């Protein structure tokens, strides 16, 4: 039977006789007069004596409210006994009390309305087992106890045998006092992040204080593993809660040794500064016993619904050599990533990776993971970019503008290419005749559209210039000698680098129109105009100071002189094209058991393009010199009069017929089940197979271009196959080199020197070639042509949904912050998903290239990675590959093992092959607040001094 009643405490206090009882199954509520002045009658026992009050003194911490502030509701499953005179209520059997955000459940509860004390405890059953032990909940904090006395007026409590979760940890104690500020004073305490009744590990202390919802503070403590005390302890402990709010703290360094290099070290130790919920910063350092050191500053930031990013600044100094003969190497690296949230029209983004060319070869070992360090160490090219873009409208015409800075750096060659700045203004495509003469579908001229684009650039490079010390075999007498060298990219060379910069502004106006012919044919017309502005113009003279033109002839080795005129210069070019396209369908009816039909779709296209020759002297864009090459034949050399190699006007006439053909195959398949909603489904058999090329009517030779062939398909919805190839339809001949007097040339060992050249003969024609000087050449090429390049790639994912499932799970994981989620998405191997039993990815790649008579290049590799869930707790992964050309296992081979140890976890990584061998074993606590409680053993190629 369930009894419930309502106490009006206000009346009880005044008369002691007023009692109102409602029927069964009603919860009781109690209200106390605000004039009640009862003091706290809950006194601490001797083992937790209150040192803040003696005798009749009140609580000295601060003035406490001594009234019940809201309704008290209570109920019991068995019975409720009311002592009206004593103002006591006793609740038996699954008793419950609710007071504001406080809830108490126990087998027996006693309420003293005069003192405001609630006493709860469990009751022994017939077997002597205690049932209904008190569970006290305040807000989101839950306390499992053996007995509790709680004052609902002062919010103080004495608790016996408590278990409570604080953040990621669990606190247990024999005797606990709780003050009104949610602080817990615990005697005979243990602290652990293991949720088992007998935890795998814990920290034991005589006294522990839980400070609100912030941290756990301990006195002298000892560490226990599986109940066994270890000789590990500290005089005090401080354990902040792991919460969404970031907290500052010390970062414990890692230690190790580089035996043959910098000696013993401490790495990646320092301080983490939680500046706010939206920005943090880490100050890290490293030091070596033989004199090297390094500094690292990292920061992440985010603004909700606006942007997020990270910054990483590194500086390292390495000292090598014996005392008195030491050499010093300094290097730095900067990484910055900034990503906006798409909203509005403005967008600023950045991705910066730059620094000293020797940084990654000497110092790429830290922090982000061993495999990432290998990738950085073997990578030679790094790209950086910073950009801003926005848009607006002019009379309903959308206009976009952008500005950017870019840099490409090769750490092997030392070449740095920088664009600072680049800017663009674009008027998006618009239809000036739209709406005139009727609907747009009726009149073809309404499809006339045009756009405008302005591109400005300032490209700085330390690479050898195209006009270095010579051009097309003609030495430049007044060239800077440094033009042919790779300049150090530093401030001391800033003036020369700026002078060598490629600067210009280009205007582009594309115009196009589409029309239908005979219903099934699409005719496309286009016209493009381009004009480029330059800050200077070049003029070429011969050794006798004569202006170079087509009437002058040169031998290879004759010098020329360049005169540079500063000031405005311009060039212009234009082109036009037309193409005709249609779709042709063929159907083959099979009427098989499941295959109903196969459809073949062909998309042929033929067109014509025109580009004028703007190299004649009358245009002023080029100067032409006739030069006798090493084979003894005269060659026309066009010398552009602009230092910029970008956007030069066309130097040859082109009247090309373009052609292409693409094919697709699709099958109409019956559904496996007769009850399926969709009776047929379309399955792609061949996604594409086609070729393309052109024929230049204006060329005096070699009119047919190389033929590009491509194919793509997907087998069984799992295996991707891609094929590309280039076919040269002309023969290649090899001739012995001759000097200016037509005499054969030999190298220093007396061997003849040969040159190779494409000749105007199709590969399927004669196998003999004779030059115009009477020399017979060796011929290469037969059948349809010469294959100059070929690529075949085959890849499959044996569990194609694994990556998608992992991404979805990462997005929904509340324990991961946004930065960690992005890192996992960039490198899925960082996340161990035990819900996916296995997955594997395999890729085969074959590359072939050959340039004439030179030796062919063949690269054939097989790469694979995958992981398998051996049990509920074990997972093993492998990443590897094999180079069939060089017959060796690639450097990326790695074996990864993960073991879930309940409140601990073990990770092991091993690279057994290649130049970058390493291993690491880490056993650590899962909880992030105790992540430095771990046992690690590791050795990398770098620490071995390789």
């Amino acid at each position: 039977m369930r009894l419930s009643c309502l106490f009006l405490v206000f009346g009880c206090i005044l008369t002691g006789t007023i009692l109102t009882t409602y029927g069964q199954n009603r919860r009781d509520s109690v209200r106390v007069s605000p004039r009640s002045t009862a003091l706290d009658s809950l006194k601490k026992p001797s083992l937790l004596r209150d040192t803040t009050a003696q005798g009749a003194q009140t609580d000295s911490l601060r003035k406490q409210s001594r009234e019940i502030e809201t309704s008290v509701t209570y109920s019991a499953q068995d019975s409720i006994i009311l002592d009206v005179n004593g103002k006591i209520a006793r609740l038996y059997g699954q008793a419950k009390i609710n007071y504001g955000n406080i809830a108490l459940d126990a087998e027996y509860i006693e309420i003293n309305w005069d003192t405001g004390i609630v006493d709860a405890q469990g009751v022994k059953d017939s077997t002597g087992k205690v049932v209904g032990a008190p569970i006290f909940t305040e807000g989101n904090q839950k306390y499992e106890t053996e007995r509790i006395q709680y004052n609902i007026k002062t919010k103080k409590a004495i608790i016996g045998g408590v278990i409570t979760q604080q953040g990621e940890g669990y606190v247990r104690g024999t005797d606990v006092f709780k003050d009104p500020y949610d602080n817990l004073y615990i005697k005979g305490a243990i602290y652990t992040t293991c949720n088992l009744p007998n935890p795998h590990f814990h920290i034991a202390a005589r006294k522990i204080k839980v400070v609100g919802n912030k941290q756990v503070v301990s006195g002298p403590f000892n560490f226990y593993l599986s109940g066994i005390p270890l000789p590990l302890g500290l005089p005090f402990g401080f354990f902040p809660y792991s919460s969404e709010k970031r907290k500052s703290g010390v970062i414990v360094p890692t230690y190790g040794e580089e035996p043959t290099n910098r000696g013993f070290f401490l790495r990646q130790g320092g301080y983490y500064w939680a500046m706010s919920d939206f920005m943090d910063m880490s100050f890290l350092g490293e030091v070596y016993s033989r004199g090297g050191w390094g500094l690292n500053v990292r920061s992440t930031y985010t603004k909700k619904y606006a942007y997020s990013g990270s910054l990483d600044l590194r500086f390292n100094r390495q000292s090598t050599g014996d005392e008195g003969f030491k050499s010093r190497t300094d290097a730095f690296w900067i990484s910055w990533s900034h990503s906006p949230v798409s909203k509005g029209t403005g967008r600023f983004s950045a991705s910066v990776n730059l620094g000293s060319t020797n940084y990654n070869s000497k110092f790429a070992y830290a922090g982000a993971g061993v495999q990432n360090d290998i990738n950085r160490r073997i990578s030679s090219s790094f790209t950086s970019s910073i950009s801003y873009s926005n848009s607006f409208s002019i009379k309903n015409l959308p206009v976009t503008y952008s500005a950017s800075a870019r840099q490409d750096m090769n750490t092997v060659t030392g070449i740095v290419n920088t664009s600072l700045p680049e800017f663009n203004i674009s008027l998006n495509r618009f239809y000036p005749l739209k709406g005139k003469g009727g609907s747009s579908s009726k009149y073809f001229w309404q499809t006339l559209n045009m756009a405008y684009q302005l591109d400005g650039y300032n490209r700085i490079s330390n690479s050898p210039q195209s006009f270095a010390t010579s051009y097309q075999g003609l030495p430049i007498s007044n060239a800077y000698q440094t033009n042919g060298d790779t300049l150090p990219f530093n401030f001391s060379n800033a003036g020369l680098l700026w002078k060598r910069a490629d600067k210009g502004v280009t205007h582009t106006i594309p115009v196009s129109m589409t029309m239908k012919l005979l219903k099934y044919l699409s005719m496309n017309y286009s016209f493009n105009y381009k004009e480029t502005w330059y800050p200077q113009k070049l003029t070429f003279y011969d050794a006798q100071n004569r202006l170079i033109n087509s009437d002058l002839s040169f031998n290879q080795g004759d010098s020329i002189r360049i005169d540079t005129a500063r000031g405005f210069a311009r060039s212009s070019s234009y082109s036009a094209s037309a193409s005709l396209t249609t779709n042709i369908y063929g159907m083959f009816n099979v009427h098989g058991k499941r295959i109903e039909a196969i459809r073949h779709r062909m998309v042929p296209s033929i067109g014509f393009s025109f580009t004028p020759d703007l190299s004649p002297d009358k245009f002023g864009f080029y100067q032409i010199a006739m030069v006798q090459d090493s084979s003894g034949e005269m060659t026309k050399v066009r010398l552009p009069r602009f230092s910029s190699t970008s956007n030069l006007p066309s130097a040859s006439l082109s009247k090309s017929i373009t052609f292409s053909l693409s094919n697709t195959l699709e099958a109409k398949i019956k559904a496996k089940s007769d009850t399926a909603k969709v009776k047929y489904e379309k399955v792609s058999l061949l996604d594409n197979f086609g070729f393309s090329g052109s024929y230049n009517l204006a060329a005096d030779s070699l009119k047919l271009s190389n033929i590009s062939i491509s194919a793509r398909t997907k087998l069984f919805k799992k295996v991707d196959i891609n094929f590309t190839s280039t076919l040269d339809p002309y023969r290649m001949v090899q001739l012995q080199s001759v000097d200016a007097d037509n005499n054969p040339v030999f190298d220093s060992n007396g061997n003849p020197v040969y040159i190779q050249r494409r000749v105007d003969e199709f590969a399927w024609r004669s196998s003999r070639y004779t030059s115009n000087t009477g020399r017979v050449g060796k011929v290469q090429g037969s059948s349809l042509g010469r294959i100059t390049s070929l690529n075949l790639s085959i890849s499959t994912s044996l569990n194609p949904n694994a990556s998608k499932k992992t991404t979805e799970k990462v997005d929904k994981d509340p324990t991961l912050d946004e930065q960690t989620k992005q890192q996992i998405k960039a490198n899925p191997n960082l996340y161990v998903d035990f819900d996916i039993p296995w997955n594997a990815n395999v890729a085969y790649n074959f590359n072939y290239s050959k340039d004439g008579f030179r030796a062919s290049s063949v690269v054939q590799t097989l790469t694979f990675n995958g992981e398998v869930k051996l049990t509920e707790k074990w997972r093993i992964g492998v990443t590897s590959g094999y180079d069939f050309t060089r017959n060796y296992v690639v450097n990326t081979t790695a074996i990864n093992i993960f073991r879930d140890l309940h409140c601990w976890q073990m990770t092991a990584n091993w690279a057994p092959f290649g130049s970058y061998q390493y291993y690491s074993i880490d056993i650590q606590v899962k909880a992030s607040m105790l992540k430095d409680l771990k046992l690690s053993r590791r050795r990398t190629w770098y620490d071995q001094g390789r």
Side-chain angles (χ1 to χ4, degrees):
M1 184 180 82
R2 183 181 178 86
L3 300 176
S4 58
C5 61
L6 175 67
F7 251 132
L8 297 179
V9 180
F10 179 78
C12 292
I13 293 174
L14 292 179
T15 66
T17 59
I18 299 177
L19 173 64
T20 303
T21 306
Y22 289 88
Q24 295 180 358
N25 300 324
R26 292 287 305 273
R27 288 187 177 274
D28 299 337
S29 61
V30 180
R31 288 184 174 82
V32 179
S33 166
R35 294 193 298 272
S36 174
T37 58
L39 297 176
D40 181 10
S41 61
L42 179 60
K43 303 296 187 226
K44 299 180 184 178
S46 60
L47 58 88
L48 290 171
R49 187 176 303 279
D50 188 357
T51 59
T52 62
Q54 296 185 10
Q57 293 182 6
T58 59
D59 190 352
S60 62
L61 294 175
R62 70 176 185 185
K63 186 177 180 180
Q64 298 293 325
S65 172
R66 296 293 189 256
E67 302 91 15
I68 298 177
E69 301 172 348
T70 186
S71 299
V72 178
T73 62
Y74 57 90
S75 64
Q77 183 69 28
D78 185 88
S79 61
I80 299 177
I81 299 177
L82 306 173
D83 182 354
V84 177
N85 293 325
K87 303 174 186 175
I88 295 174
R90 296 179 176 87
L91 287 65
Y92 296 89
Q94 299 182 22
K96 296 181 180 180
I97 291 181
N98 290 282
Y99 172 62
N101 68 337
I102 295 173
L104 179 61
D105 297 86
E107 187 67 18
Y108 170 77
I109 299 178
E110 179 180 301
I111 310 172
N112 189 318
W113 299 111
D114 190 22
T115 61
I117 295 176
V118 178
D119 191 345
Q121 57 185 302
V123 177
K124 292 184 178 180
D125 61 10
S126 59
T127 64
K129 181 181 179 180
V130 177
V131 296
I135 298 177
F136 178 76
T137 305
E138 184 174 13
N140 59 356
Q141 292 296 323
K142 186 176 181 180
Y143 305 88
E144 298 179 11
T145 69
E146 296 177 1
R147 181 171 183 175
I148 182 171
Q149 289 180 305
Y150 181 77
N151 193 312
I152 58 178
K153 296 180 180 180
T154 63
K155 299 183 179 179
K156 296 180 180 180
I158 292 178
I159 307 171
V162 69
I163 301 176
T164 179
Q165 183 175 0
Q166 303 291 329
E168 293 180 282
Y170 297 88
V171 180
R172 306 183 185 191
T174 55
D175 300 289
V176 181
F177 173 70
K178 177 184 178 299
D179 67 19
Y181 313 116
D182 294 328
N183 298 321
L184 300 179
Y185 303 85
I186 305 173
K187 184 178 180 180
I190 68 172
Y191 178 78
T192 181
T193 58
C194 182
N195 60 0
L196 296 179
N198 296 312
H200 290 114
F201 77 99
H202 68 268
I203 292 169
R206 291 184 61 251
K207 294 180 180 180
I208 282 180
K209 179 179 179 181
V210 179
V211 183
N213 293 320
K214 298 179 180 179
Q215 63 231 0
V216 176
V217 180
S218 156
F221 67 86
N222 195 28
F223 183 79
Y224 283 70
L225 185 62
S226 295
I228 302 174
L230 301 181
L232 300 174
L234 289 172
F236 64 90
F238 175 79
F239 311 99
Y241 290 176
S242 177
S243 63
E244 293 183 359
K245 187 174 182 180
R246 305 176 183 180
K247 295 180 175 63
S248 302
V250 174
I251 300 174
V252 179
T254 60
Y255 63 90
E257 181 189 8
E258 293 179 9
T260 61
N261 200 357
R262 292 179 289 182
F264 295 98
F265 62 76
L266 289 175
R267 288 181 187 157
Q268 302 302 300
Y271 186 77
Y272 173 79
W273 179 24
M275 304 171 68
S276 69
D277 291 339
F278 311 105
M279 187 174 183
D280 64 7
M281 188 170 289
S282 299
F283 302 91
L284 304 174
E286 56 194 60
V287 63
Y288 298 85
S289 61
R290 296 177 184 170
W293 55 273
L295 296 175
N296 179 204
V297 178
R298 303 176 187 171
S299 177
T300 59
Y301 57 89
T302 181
K303 185 175 182 181
K304 201 170 184 180
Y305 309 120
Y307 55 79
S308 62
S310 62
L311 177 66
D312 192 337
L313 307 176
R314 299 168 183 258
F315 177 84
N316 284 77
R317 173 170 293 178
Q318 179 178 357
S319 297
T320 56
D322 298 328
E323 194 65 36
F325 300 93
K326 284 186 176 293
S327 62
R328 190 179 76 183
T329 302
D330 293 343
F332 74 94
W333 195 263
I334 300 173
S335 297
W336 178 34
S337 175
H338 180 92
S339 301
V341 175
S342 298
K343 69 173 185 176
T345 57
R347 177 183 174 87
F348 174 82
S349 63
S351 176
V352 175
N353 287 282
L354 58 89
S356 304
T357 56
N358 63 343
Y359 183 88
N360 288 303
S361 62
K362 290 183 175 295
F363 304 105
Y365 51 79
V370 174
Q371 189 59 52
N372 278 355
D373 302 337
I374 294 176
N375 293 337
R376 287 181 57 190
R377 193 175 180 88
I378 64 179
S379 296
S380 59
S381 298
F382 296 89
T383 302
S384 303
S385 65
I386 302 174
S387 63
Y388 174 78
S389 62
N390 210 331
S391 62
F392 60 92
S393 298
I394 300 177
K395 294 183 178 181
N396 296 324
L397 294 178
V399 178
T400 61
Y401 63 92
S402 64
S404 64
R406 306 178 189 277
Q407 185 183 83
D408 298 319
M409 179 176 66
N410 189 300
T411 57
V412 175
T413 63
I415 293 178
V416 180
N417 299 311
T418 302
S419 296
L420 181 66
E422 284 187 349
F423 58 89
N424 169 272
I425 301 175
S426 300
L427 178 63
N428 290 1
R429 193 172 297 276
F430 64 96
Y431 297 81
L433 303 180
K434 186 177 181 179
K436 295 183 180 181
S439 64
S440 59
S441 61
K442 186 175 181 180
Y443 298 95
F444 70 88
W445 58 79
Q446 291 182 337
T447 64
L448 179 71
N449 60 85
M450 60 191 306
Y452 170 77
Q453 182 169 307
L454 181 147
D455 294 287
Y457 54 89
N458 178 52
R459 298 166 185 156
I460 303 172
S461 177
N462 64 343
S463 63
Q465 289 187 304
S466 58
F467 289 119
T469 55
S470 65
Y471 187 75
Q472 293 286 337
L474 301 175
I476 301 174
S477 60
N478 61 335
Y480 290 103
Q481 293 302 313
T482 55
N483 283 2
D485 302 327
T486 299
L487 292 177
F489 200 88
N490 51 40
F491 288 106
S492 61
N493 290 324
L496 184 55
L497 290 170
W498 179 263
K499 190 173 183 179
R500 290 169 42 154
D502 181 5
K503 312 177 187 70
V505 176
T506 300
H507 309 263
T508 306
I509 302 176
V511 182
S512 62
M513 184 174 63
T514 303
M515 62 183 296
K516 283 285 187 180
L517 296 178
L518 303 176
K519 191 178 180 178
Y520 300 107
L521 303 176
S522 295
M523 194 72 181
N524 300 294
Y525 302 92
S526 66
F527 175 83
N528 289 276
Y529 177 80
K530 181 179 290 185
E531 181 168 316
T532 305
W533 297 346
Y534 308 95
Q536 60 189 21
K537 195 169 185 179
L538 308 179
T539 304
F540 296 86
Y541 297 90
D542 66 3
Q544 288 76 37
N545 207 28
R546 294 176 298 178
L547 184 67
I548 294 178
N549 54 55
S550 57
D551 296 330
L552 296 177
S553 61
F554 294 83
N555 293 319
Q556 281 192 345
D558 291 349
S559 62
I560 60 174
R561 183 176 62 86
I562 302 177
D563 181 55
T564 303
R566 307 290 177 181
F568 176 78
R570 59 169 293 276
S571 69
S572 61
S573 62
Y574 63 91
S575 63
S577 65
S579 63
L580 188 65
T581 305
T582 189
N583 289 275
I584 302 174
Y585 295 91
M587 186 73 72
F588 177 67
N589 294 314
V590 179
H591 301 301
K593 186 175 181 180
R594 289 200 61 204
I595 301 178
E596 182 68 18
I598 295 177
R599 188 178 74 167
H600 178 204
R601 176 173 174 255
M602 294 188 296
V603 184
S605 177
I606 187 168
F608 179 79
S609 65
F610 171 78
T611 303
D613 180 8
L614 300 177
S615 63
D617 296 337
K618 63 180 180 180
F619 296 107
F621 302 150
Y622 293 88
Q623 289 179 245
I624 298 177
M626 302 302 297
V627 180
Q628 185 180 29
D629 62 18
S630 58
S631 65
E633 298 184 5
M634 298 300 294
T635 304
K636 181 185 292 187
V637 176
R638 296 171 176 84
L639 303 173
R641 301 193 61 189
F642 308 100
S643 58
S644 172
T645 57
S646 304
N647 303 308
L648 290 174
S650 58
S652 60
L653 177 64
S654 174
K655 298 178 182 179
S656 297
I657 298 174
T658 59
F659 53 89
S660 66
L661 176 66
S662 63
N663 301 265
T664 60
L665 285 178
E666 297 172 333
K668 187 178 181 182
I669 307 294
K670 294 179 182 178
K672 293 182 179 180
S673 174
D674 295 336
T675 60
K677 293 182 179 179
V678 181
K679 294 185 178 181
Y680 294 95
E681 62 176 330
K682 184 174 64 175
V683 177
S684 177
L685 302 179
L686 185 62
D687 295 334
N688 177 58
F689 173 72
F691 62 89
S692 62
S694 63
Y695 188 85
N696 189 359
L697 300 173
D700 56 0
S701 62
L702 305 174
K703 295 185 177 184
L704 184 61
S705 69
N706 288 347
I707 307 299
S708 298
I709 304 171
S710 63
R712 185 181 72 255
T713 189
K714 191 166 191 174
L715 301 180
F716 316 112
K717 297 183 179 180
K718 292 182 178 294
V719 182
D720 293 300
I721 301 177
N722 287 274
F723 172 83
T724 59
S725 180
T726 301
L727 191 69
D728 189 343
Y730 292 100
R731 292 185 179 277
M732 180 75 75
V733 300
Q734 188 181 64
L735 298 170
Q736 186 174 356
S737 179
V738 296
D739 59 18
D741 298 324
N742 206 28
N743 296 316
V745 177
F746 298 89
D747 62 17
S748 58
N749 296 323
N751 299 317
V753 177
Y754 291 96
I755 61 172
Q756 62 178 22
R757 177 187 301 159
R758 292 175 72 204
V759 296
D760 192 22
E761 289 185 5
F762 290 116
W764 57 81
R765 297 184 61 185
S766 172
S767 61
R768 179 181 175 84
Y769 174 79
T770 304
S771 71
N772 55 7
T773 59
R775 288 178 297 154
V776 177
K778 186 178 179 181
V779 178
Q780 184 187 76
S782 61
S783 188
L784 295 179
R786 296 179 300 107
I787 297 176
T788 58
S789 66
L790 184 148
N791 174 264
L792 173 65
S793 63
I794 304 174
S795 63
T796 183
S797 177
L798 301 182
N799 191 346
N801 294 323
S803 178
K804 181 179 179 181
K805 291 179 180 178
T806 299
T807 301
E808 292 175 352
K809 192 168 183 179
V810 168
D811 287 332
K812 296 178 181 178
D813 194 335
T815 64
L816 302 176
D817 55 36
E818 191 60 34
Q819 182 184 2
T820 303
K821 290 179 180 179
Q822 295 302 322
Q823 292 175 348
I824 292 174
K825 290 178 181 179
N827 186 2
N829 292 328
L830 295 176
Y831 189 78
V832 180
D833 188 356
F834 277 95
D835 291 338
I836 300 174
W838 66 275
N839 68 80
N841 300 283
V842 182
Y844 170 79
N845 194 276
F846 177 85
N847 278 285
Y848 168 86
S849 62
K850 183 171 177 58
D851 180 16
F853 291 88
R854 296 184 177 95
S856 61
S857 172
V858 177
V859 178
Q860 189 177 188
T861 59
L862 176 69
T863 59
F864 59 90
N865 66 80
E867 55 184 20
V868 60
K869 178 182 176 182
L870 301 176
T871 68
E872 289 297 322
K873 302 294 184 180
W874 281 95
R875 178 174 286 271
I876 184 171
V878 178
T879 300
S880 187
Y882 190 79
D883 189 324
F884 294 97
T885 305
R886 303 178 185 177
N887 293 319
Y888 78 100
V889 179
V890 298
N891 284 329
T892 55
T893 298
I895 300 173
N896 310 301
I897 300 174
F898 182 88
R899 175 69 162 92
D900 188 342
L901 301 171
H902 188 254
C903 52
W904 293 68
Q905 66 183 21
M906 181 196 75
T907 57
N909 300 281
W910 179 37
F913 309 113
S915 303
Y916 301 102
Q917 299 179 27
Y918 66 89
Y919 74 86
S920 66
I921 301 175
D922 295 282
I923 303 176
Q924 64 185 94
V925 176
K926 283 184 179 179
S928 60
M929 62 183 302
L930 295 178
K931 66 181 181 180
D932 291 321
L933 184 58
K934 62 183 178 181
L935 178 65
S936 298
R937 175 61 178 168
R938 63 187 63 232
R939 179 59 59 88
T940 70
W941 79 95
Y942 199 91
D943 298 333
Q944 296 172 19
R946 295 186 179 181

